[in-house]
Amino acid sequence: MTVPRPVPRSNTFAEDNPYALERVRVLRVYHLTELEKLFLFRFEDPTIAENWTFKPGQFVQLTIPGIGEVPISVCSSPMRQGFFELCIRKAGKVTTAVHKLKPGDTVLVRGPYGNGFPVDKWEGMDLLLIAAGLGTAPLRSVFLYAMDNRWKYGNITFINTARYGKDLLFYKELEAMKDIAEAENVKIIQSVTRDPDWPGPKGRPQNFIVEANTNPKNTAVAICGPPRMYKDVFEALINYGYRPENIYVTLERMMKCGIGKCGHCNVGTSTSWKYVCKDGPVFTYFDIVSTPGMLD
Amino acid sequence: MRYVKLPKENTYEFLERLKDWGILYAPVKISEKFYDFREIENVKEVEFHYNRTIMPPKKFFFLPREKMFEFNLSKVEYKEAIEKVEPFVVFGVHACDIFGLKIMDTIYLDELPDKYYKVRREKGIIIGISCVPDEYCFCNLRETDFADDGFDLFLHELPDGWLVRVGTPTGHRIVDKNLRLFEEVTSQDVCNFRDFENKKQQMFKYHEDWADLRYLLELETEHPMWDEQSDICLACGNCNTTCPTCRCFDVQDIPNIDGVTGARVRRWDSCQLVRHGMVAGGHNFRPTKKSRFMNRYMCKNSYVEKLGLSYCVGCGRCSYFCPAEISFVRNLRTILGLEESSCPPRISEEIPKRGFAYGPSVGGGEQ
């Protein structure tokens, strides 16, 4: 009989510390692109592993011991309990350290934080997901969640774009899903904006809205991408009859605390002052319109 | 509310007795011009009539630099590092600073209380003191010139002592333990109190309605004031570090020289510094000095729902300690259309005097 290896209790914090960290182990590392890797984590504490869950669109604070902490959106489906995935671009000090992680390494996380996408409210609606660049990561979570709960949603379209073909995140995964997806009224469009040699569709995300198999009057739209993309996408969506009240975006800021205290993600003006970590990172189109500074 | 009177001759003994409740901090004069809250050995050093301290009393609760965790890299272990906090008394806190702490509470003691702040808040006794405004004060416009709560005791100056308002059970205990130091409040004391408050109101430089300021700030984002004033701003962050309600912090993991152990440390941060709005990959959401300058004005004039106030309490520190002599009040009044002359004074050969924004403008002299 094999004796199960004792799992060290990772929580060395009193329960009332909102910054308390939990140990997680890297199970797998996948190379996605030159700059991005996908990491599969599991909590060392079995109780937490069993109970920990999140909403698509929420983020965690990931600590690389001795280097620092960084906020990262969860990109897996909350339906896969005990595991979660983070897609991380090598961009700064901490993320460079993350890229050195190997399976078996231990790091720490806290969270999930933020409001996430209102996936429950969207039940019965069509879904249109529009991602550009690293924006694919949080939307993949929504997409996988919707696929896991396929009966809850109508038609689904996922527009995944990047500048170059080699930068398309989750390209292979999404391509592999295409056949099954089409049979289930799910459309996946993967396009590039700058790559002349790309054999597939070319163009900015707004060019593909017309191809979406979603009913504009009853579609929840989720958008994530670089700030300058949003304006054109909004315009196109509204032109095609998508309802502004159903448009959601997720924003990026340098969240240090994740719970609305440190002030780094403050955005807005005097009558509309928001914390991206607490009031967001998912905001509605109306939030964007009434809160200057959210996108630029 | 309970009211008692502390006769003037008992003041120092009262201060001495406060030491029974913890380490005593109070304002002292630290240089020709400046005051600061310091630990008190000799109660005679305590300054009762000061305009403002350099650092607001938030420094006792939200430390400028604080160790949050200790880590061990070989064990991949982070441990909560919370200092044992001794009880302490902060004496001589002005009403605006009491509101400053109440605003900090709305952030740090909300549904997810910050443990480090909470521990200190529970250990700290606050004793307020009445004050008279100088030309930098505008707490009357912010409705923070009189604190209803947020203190254990509040001392109002009378000609022959102090009218003491008791705000909390701890306040009652302090009074009860030292009952021999106190007297009953007489009708003459009430008269004197009223007189003091009336005089104080008259001493404020401005008496106007700022109710629509928040809206005007948004509507006037193209106002020339923003360019002119952000241009002279040094982006040093002095306004943030002296502000009683600035709450931004930065977090860093600092390894020890052994490379194995270390600490996660947080420290005050400033939204005026360029890296404040930076995200991974080098994009900065507030890349220009103007955008950061505006950000502070928007933040300070936004609304604290729980208290029905703005985040600015009108203490005047950001203007008083600004090395570029930018006046927060004057800029806000410019937005409100209440300032007659254009925002910046004309460039002059003369060395500008502190407070020029309120007196005749340097080199201009049209006021």
Side-chain angles (χ1 to χ4, degrees):
Chain A
M1 196 184 110
T2 49
V3 181
R5 228 176 59 188
V7 182
R9 263 301 288 181
S10 61
N11 197 345
T12 47
F13 299 88
E15 276 182 6
D16 57 350
N17 193 321
Y19 310 104
L21 301 163
E22 289 298 337
R23 283 150 65 111
V24 291
R25 186 153 291 182
V26 182
L27 297 187
R28 294 266 169 80
V29 182
Y30 303 91
H31 288 259
L32 295 180
T33 68
E34 248 171 59
L35 284 177
E36 283 106 357
K37 282 185 183 178
L38 178 71
F39 297 84
L40 176 67
F41 294 99
R42 181 175 170 82
F43 284 92
E44 282 190 355
D45 187 323
T47 336
I48 296 168
E50 260 172 52
N51 297 314
W52 194 84
T53 189
F54 62 95
K55 262 169 97 177
Q58 285 193 308
F59 66 95
V60 294
Q61 290 280 1
L62 175 72
T63 285
I64 302 303
I67 311 286
E69 210 173 34
V70 65
I72 308 279
S73 293
V74 187
C75 68
S76 51
S77 164
M79 303 304 281
R80 320 284 162 88
Q81 283 229 309
F83 303 91
F84 68 98
E85 285 173 331
L86 303 179
C87 169
I88 298 172
R89 175 181 284 177
K90 193 173 169 180
K93 195 176 67 167
V94 183
T95 47
T96 304
V98 177
H99 270 241
K100 291 180 187 151
L101 292 177
K102 295 179 297 297
D105 288 346
T106 307
V107 292
L108 300 103
V109 297
R110 59 191 175 92
Y113 296 123
N115 54 0
F117 288 100
V119 284
D120 299 336
K121 209 176 116 185
W122 292 351
E123 284 178 22
M125 296 171 88
D126 289 350
L127 297 184
L128 173 57
L129 312 175
I130 302 172
L134 196 52
T136 313
L139 294 192
R140 176 181 180 252
S141 180
V142 182
F143 183 67
L144 295 181
Y145 175 84
M147 292 304 274
D148 286 342
N149 297 280
R150 189 66 195 88
W151 67 93
K152 289 184 182 170
Y153 303 97
N155 293 350
I156 300 175
T157 299
F158 193 169
I159 302 172
N160 182 26
T161 66
R163 284 182 183 171
Y164 298 96
K166 63 180 173 50
D167 299 334
L168 269 172
L169 281 177
F170 302 106
Y171 175 71
K172 282 186 189 156
E173 180 187 279
L174 290 169
E175 281 301 303
M177 288 171 84
K178 255 186 176 170
D179 293 339
I180 319 160
E182 263 169 44
E184 293 203 36
N185 291 326
V186 177
K187 195 163 185 182
I188 295 168
I189 300 165
Q190 306 212 65
S191 137
V192 298
T193 54
R194 285 198 195 167
D195 197 341
D197 305 329
W198 182 247
K202 288 187 203 71
R204 298 185 179 278
Q206 59 269 27
N207 305 349
F208 297 96
I209 295 171
V210 67
E211 289 176 30
N213 61 347
T214 50
N215 169 19
K217 298 286 166 231
N218 187 36
T219 298
V221 187
I223 313 166
C224 188
R228 70 184 70 139
M229 168 193 102
Y230 291 95
K231 212 181 136 220
D232 296 334
V233 173
F234 287 151
E235 209 176 280
L237 283 170
I238 289 164
N239 280 345
Y240 285 117
Y242 286 88
R243 296 195 161 154
E245 63 267 37
N246 294 332
I247 299 176
Y248 295 81
V249 300
T250 169
L251 301 186
E252 180 196 14
R253 287 293 188 276
M254 189 59 196
M255 289 85 121
K256 291 269 176 183
C257 70
I259 49 175
K261 303 202 189 319
C262 80
H264 278 87
C265 65
N266 274 0
V267 61
T269 50
S270 48
T271 65
S272 174
W273 192 248
K274 298 210 158 47
Y275 291 96
V276 172
C277 68
K278 207 167 80 167
D279 304 318
V282 175
F283 289 98
T284 64
Y285 174 78
F286 290 120
D287 287 329
I288 301 282
V289 171
S290 53
T291 312
M294 270 195 175
L295 298 184
D296 39 25
Chain B
M1 191 172 260
R2 183 182 178 190
Y3 302 90
V4 286
K5 185 185 176 181
L6 176 68
K8 195 154 251 172
E9 58 274 19
N10 292 349
T11 311
Y12 286 117
E13 199 183 342
F14 170 69
L15 283 173
E16 202 60 58
R17 291 279 68 78
L18 282 178
K19 289 182 182 170
D20 301 342
W21 297 82
I23 305 160
L24 178 64
Y25 297 100
V28 290
K29 201 173 167 88
I30 56 163
S31 66
E32 194 191 331
K33 272 173 136 180
F34 301 129
Y35 301 88
D36 204 14
F37 284 103
R38 294 282 160 96
E39 191 179 339
I40 301 295
E41 290 288 324
N42 177 5
V43 291
K44 299 272 180 197
E45 288 172 8
V46 174
E47 194 64 57
F48 299 95
H49 303 101
Y50 70 101
N51 44 20
R52 59 183 60 71
T53 54
I54 298 175
M55 295 283 245
K58 87 174 173 193
K59 70 172 180 178
F60 295 114
F61 304 97
F62 170 42
L63 300 191
R65 189 186 162 94
E66 179 166 36
K67 196 199 280 181
M68 300 173 81
F69 305 145
E70 280 166 351
F71 60 74
N72 183 313
L73 297 182
S74 60
K75 291 188 204 156
V76 198
E77 190 178 59
Y78 274 64
K79 269 188 185 156
E80 188 177 284
I82 206 152
E83 283 172 42
K84 195 175 167 349
V85 182
E86 297 295 328
F88 62 94
V89 182
V90 189
F91 176 85
V93 185
H94 286 170
C96 59
D97 282 343
I98 288 174
F99 276 99
L101 286 173
K102 283 168 68 172
I103 288 170
M104 293 296 284
D105 289 351
T106 65
I107 304 281
Y108 281 92
L109 300 179
D110 59 359
E111 64 273 17
L112 277 174
D114 180 281
K115 194 174 181 182
Y116 306 87
Y117 179 84
K118 194 174 165 219
V119 166
R120 295 198 162 78
R121 204 72 172 93
E122 281 161 1
K123 296 279 182 177
I125 293 171
I126 303 285
I127 303 201
I129 199 164
S130 62
C131 50
V132 287
D134 68 0
E135 75 268 31
Y136 288 89
C137 293
F138 57 106
C139 53
N140 60 330
L141 303 178
R142 297 299 196 182
E143 296 171 36
T144 58
D145 52 334
F146 195 93
D148 294 315
D149 58 0
F151 53 83
D152 294 286
L153 296 174
F154 201 105
L155 274 56
H156 291 271
E157 190 167 14
L158 303 171
D160 56 345
W162 306 89
L163 178 94
V164 182
R165 285 191 290 145
V166 184
T168 60
T170 308
H172 283 289
R173 278 196 282 274
I174 296 173
V175 171
D176 289 341
K177 275 241 169 154
N178 302 294
L179 213 50
R180 63 182 175 82
L181 296 178
F182 297 95
E183 288 173 3
E184 281 200 18
V185 178
T186 64
S187 54
Q188 184 57 44
D189 296 330
V190 178
C191 261
N192 290 335
F193 168 70
R194 196 187 298 206
D195 197 37
F196 182 90
E197 287 300 315
N198 283 342
K199 277 193 187 136
K200 177 183 166 179
Q201 285 305 319
Q202 285 160 14
M203 285 170 78
F204 282 106
K205 189 172 165 76
Y206 303 111
H207 297 270
E208 52 210 21
D209 186 5
W210 281 20
D212 52 359
L213 174 64
R214 288 192 296 137
Y215 305 97
L216 282 172
L217 276 173
E218 285 183 330
L219 291 165
E220 293 281 15
T221 48
E222 301 296 313
H223 197 287
M225 184 280 281
W226 297 115
D227 280 314
E228 288 165 356
Q229 294 288 289
S230 62
D231 193 39
I232 55 173
C233 171
L234 302 171
C236 64
N238 238 12
C239 44
N240 295 120
T241 36
T242 55
C243 178
T245 66
C246 270
R247 55 210 176 269
C248 286
F249 65 78
D250 191 22
V251 186
Q252 267 187 332
D253 275 12
I254 301 174
N256 291 336
I257 201 154
D258 61 9
V260 177
T261 59
R264 174 164 291 181
V265 173
R266 75 169 173 196
R267 58 178 177 216
W268 291 2
D269 201 355
S270 157
C271 61
Q272 300 306 297
L273 305 180
V274 71
R275 55 175 175 70
H276 191 270
M278 201 84 117
V279 294
H283 182 75
N284 195 332
F285 282 94
R286 287 188 276 268
T288 61
K289 204 161 64 167
K290 184 184 167 189
S291 61
R292 298 192 295 278
F293 186 84
M294 288 177 82
N295 177 65
R296 190 172 79 86
Y297 279 65
M298 295 302 177
C299 174
K300 290 295 145 201
N301 289 290
S302 58
Y303 190 62
V304 193
E305 269 175 42
K306 279 179 204 159
L307 299 173
L309 298 168
S310 66
Y311 278 97
C312 167
V313 293
C315 69
R317 283 187 180 90
C318 56
S319 310
Y320 191 81
F321 296 111
C322 177
E325 306 197 335
I326 294 169
S327 166
F328 193 63
V329 189
R330 187 179 162 117
N331 290 344
L332 294 178
R333 295 186 83 244
T334 306
I335 293 291
L336 282 164
L338 296 165
E339 285 288 328
E340 280 172 23
S341 52
S342 68
C343 295
R346 279 188 220 156
I347 304 297
S348 156
E349 297 298 311
E350 257 182 77
I351 299 165
K353 291 188 185 69
R354 180 160 288 288
F356 73 96
Y358 298 91
S361 56
V362 176
E366 287 122 12
Q367 274 191 339

